[in-house]
Amino acid sequence: MFTARQKIKKEKEAQPSDLENQVAQALVDLEINNEELRPTLKNLHIVAAREVVVNKSSTAIVVFVPYRLRELFRKTQVRLVCELEKKFSGQHVVLVAKRNIQDKESHHNRKAAKGQVRPRSRTLTAVHEAILEDVVFPANISAKRTRFLQDGTKLIKVELENPYEVSEKLDTFSAVYNALTGKNATFSLPASE
């Protein structure tokens, strides 16, 4: 029948953690019990899951999905995240595509010597931008500013357009983005008129 192990595809047959098993089991339960999500969840699996501390009293679960399946996850992401948050007793759940960052090529590198160029989508900047878009989905980024503070630190200010209700998740977005990229970001919604 259905097993949680089928919903996790780890690299090099690494063993999944307890949290990853719980997320996979939740996906299997949703596939069995939810008629709406069954057709899409049948072909989906996760790569990893990680818990991120938002503040002293709450944590968020970051679920990494394969890059190639990100569009399939996005079709049902709002409903899927809502159901997963119910299963994990109100913890916020964020879905992020698993992306790879390639090093800068130097002439010592074998690929650079053969004339291959690193794709733009594999650069550090492009991956961090894509992670930012994944973290705030289904909201859209309407403005982004980088502030350089006097002590030399950078702060990214992100304004969101809000097609769905994400106002209670702004702190979660900041914590998750900081945990994944090491960059400080603050998120805000436009002032309601």
Side-chain angles (χ1 to χ4, degrees):
M1 185 81 185
F2 295 113
T3 64
R5 188 66 180 114
Q6 294 173 335
K7 289 292 179 186
I8 305 174
K9 301 273 184 352
K10 299 285 284 183
E11 293 178 7
K12 298 176 184 152
E13 299 303 320
Q15 291 300 315
S17 68
D18 291 338
L19 179 66
E20 291 167 345
N21 283 328
Q22 290 173 0
V23 171
Q25 188 59 48
L27 288 174
V28 168
D29 292 344
L30 285 174
E31 185 178 342
I32 292 171
N33 299 328
N34 195 321
E35 293 291 328
E36 261 183 71
L37 295 174
R38 183 175 298 155
T40 55
L41 284 179
K42 183 172 66 172
N43 300 321
L44 300 179
H45 60 272
I46 65 170
V47 177
R50 180 174 160 187
E51 203 164 28
V52 174
V53 176
V54 176
N55 53 36
K56 292 179 182 176
S57 62
S58 65
T59 59
I61 298 173
V62 181
V63 179
F64 293 95
V65 300
Y67 179 77
R68 292 182 178 187
L69 297 178
R70 74 189 185 289
E71 291 302 323
L72 292 174
F73 271 101
R74 286 218 168 152
K75 288 180 183 176
T76 59
Q77 183 166 344
V78 175
R79 178 96 170 120
L80 180 62
V81 165
C82 181
E83 294 294 328
L84 285 174
E85 286 177 351
K86 286 179 193 173
K87 293 247 183 216
F88 290 105
S89 65
Q91 282 183 310
H92 290 159
V93 176
V94 178
L95 298 180
V96 177
K98 179 77 171 155
R99 292 179 168 85
N100 294 326
I101 300 171
Q102 286 184 347
D103 291 338
K104 283 185 177 179
E105 281 89 12
S106 63
H107 290 290
H108 312 316
N109 190 347
R110 199 166 24 109
K111 287 184 179 178
K114 292 180 181 176
Q116 289 183 347
V117 180
R118 172 176 62 163
R120 168 82 173 101
S121 63
R122 300 279 174 90
T123 62
L124 179 78
T125 305
V127 169
H128 285 189
E129 294 291 324
I131 288 173
L132 181 64
E133 290 179 12
D134 285 349
V135 166
V136 300
F137 190 82
N140 297 321
I141 298 171
S142 62
K144 190 172 85 164
R145 295 173 191 83
T146 303
R147 259 187 97 181
F148 293 91
L149 303 176
Q150 285 183 341
D151 61 353
T153 59
K154 288 196 309 187
L155 176 66
I156 301 170
K157 290 188 169 190
V158 181
E159 279 188 27
L160 303 175
E161 292 175 348
N162 192 16
Y164 297 94
E165 192 55 43
V166 294
S167 59
E168 72 277 356
K169 291 187 173 185
L170 298 179
D171 292 336
T172 302
F173 293 163
S174 295
V176 168
Y177 187 69
N178 190 347
L180 296 179
T181 64
K183 295 181 179 178
N184 295 327
T186 58
F187 296 86
S188 63
L189 296 172
S192 58
E193 298 171 10

